Amino acid sequence: MIFSPWNYKVLALGLLLVIIGFSAMYIENKVQGIISLYISPIVIMAGYVAVIVAILKHDSGSSTASDQSR
């Protein structure tokens, strides 16, 4: 497998945060609302950061093709 179970859990958490952030922004439906201006963008950015970390984090214990050639 490409990712470890930890990576999949963090990836799912990140996608869930992005969906929750956009949903909260849509539900409030105000341009000047506190949720639309402050809370939703923070939740969305946290979700994007979690997705990036899940994709880029490499488990040092996993074997890759370069490790198997040695």
Side-chain angles (χ1 to χ4, degrees):
M1 288 184 11
I2 296 174
F3 295 132
S4 68
W6 182 86
N7 293 88
Y8 286 114
K9 290 175 187 174
V10 174
L11 184 65
L13 176 69
L15 290 175
L16 184 68
L17 284 174
V18 170
I19 291 169
I20 288 172
F22 278 114
S23 297
M25 196 180 298
Y26 175 76
I27 289 171
E28 187 183 30
N29 205 16
K30 291 182 185 175
V31 175
Q32 297 298 324
I34 188 90
I35 293 174
S36 293
L37 282 178
Y38 300 108
I39 296 173
S40 287
I42 293 171
V43 172
I44 292 168
M45 287 304 296
Y48 285 144
V49 168
V51 168
I52 291 169
V53 167
I55 292 172
L56 295 180
K57 174 121 171 57
H58 177 66
D59 188 20
S60 61
S62 68
S63 62
T64 60
S66 64
D67 291 339
Q68 292 174 356
S69 65
R70 291 183 190 176

